[in-house]
Amino acid sequence: MTVPTLHYHPLSSYCHKLLIALDVLGIETEKRLLNLGDPAERAAHLALCPTGKMPLLVDQGRPIPETSIIIEYLQRHHAAPGRTLIPSDPDAALDVRLWDRMFDLYVMTPMQALTADLLRQEGDRDAIGVAQAREKLLTAYAFIDRHLEGRTWVSGGEFSMADCAAAPALFYAVTYVPLPPQHVHLAAYFERLM
């Protein structure tokens, strides 16, 4: 059986989410560093994934985009025995998927908006967008902190796909908007993730 091919870049936070999952699930992949700045590589990648997003998994010629979908696919088809990131119980699985989306949409997305603004020319920067992204992160931090009270991991008692999403999202987000000192549950969780 051939191993899947992972098209990725080491600076991508979504790629880190998937790399964590690969490690936990005990899966080997052929890793291909993706250079979207190279026109030929970009064209080849767009042929596989018209959105141009990464990471992208290719398994037996089938391109599989979107990090959360890739993780679920890998768990179903390639995980080492006994290794899971999404529980088999349907309600517990929904909770994992919910918190996976929460970190992707409410921590990762505003963090990426802050990164994108830094990459703009000085005159093209978006002060209003930056302020909104910072406020979204603070709102997410407060919500997550309340949820984490009495919990080790964000969903259920085991490390899950939601924690894979949380680790890179928080790692980068706190460089822009540090955790407020009153969010002790989130701070302890972040420490466990690191």
Side-chain angles (χ1 to χ4, degrees):
M1 184 161 139
T2 60
V3 299
T5 302
L6 174 64
H7 300 261
Y8 81 109
H9 194 279
L11 296 180
S12 163
S13 49
Y14 280 109
C15 290
H16 280 280
K17 173 182 170 180
L18 182 53
L19 291 170
I20 294 165
L22 288 170
D23 186 56
V24 172
L25 294 172
I27 298 170
E28 290 295 321
T29 61
E30 177 188 337
K31 293 181 180 70
R32 291 199 183 152
L33 185 63
L34 187 56
N35 177 5
L36 295 178
D38 177 275
E41 270 194 61
R42 183 169 184 73
H45 184 65
L46 288 171
L48 289 171
C49 182
T51 64
K53 300 282 184 166
M54 67 172 124
L56 177 71
L57 187 79
V58 178
D59 191 21
Q60 299 178 24
R62 177 184 177 192
I64 302 156
E66 296 298 328
T67 310
S68 300
I69 301 303
I70 295 169
I71 292 169
E72 191 154 353
Y73 174 87
L74 287 170
Q75 179 174 305
R76 287 184 185 181
H77 299 286
H78 293 281
R83 304 243 188 135
T84 63
L85 286 168
I86 302 166
S88 58
D89 174 75
D91 290 333
L94 282 176
D95 194 60
V96 166
R97 290 183 187 102
L98 167 68
W99 283 98
D100 171 72
R101 302 311 308 137
M102 295 298 291
F103 281 101
D104 281 357
L105 297 173
Y106 301 103
V107 179
M108 192 87 79
T109 298
M111 177 278 296
Q112 288 182 326
L114 294 168
T115 301
D117 193 69
L118 284 178
L119 297 174
R120 292 186 182 116
Q121 297 292 326
E122 187 81 28
D124 294 331
R125 297 234 169 119
D126 178 9
I128 293 172
V130 164
Q132 289 171 337
R134 289 179 181 281
E135 190 59 37
K136 286 177 185 177
L137 281 174
L138 288 170
T139 299
Y141 290 171
F143 178 64
I144 296 163
D145 182 70
R146 283 191 304 274
H147 174 75
L148 283 167
E149 185 174 358
R151 296 172 182 265
T152 301
W153 303 111
V154 79
S155 179
E158 301 293 324
F159 187 90
S160 71
M161 178 172 70
D163 302 298
C164 293
L170 288 168
F171 177 80
Y172 287 110
V174 300
T175 64
Y176 295 115
V177 180
L179 296 177
Q182 69 269 26
H183 296 326
V184 294
H185 308 298
L186 179 53
Y189 172 67
F190 181 60
E191 186 71 27
R192 284 189 295 280
L193 287 172
M194 295 303 107

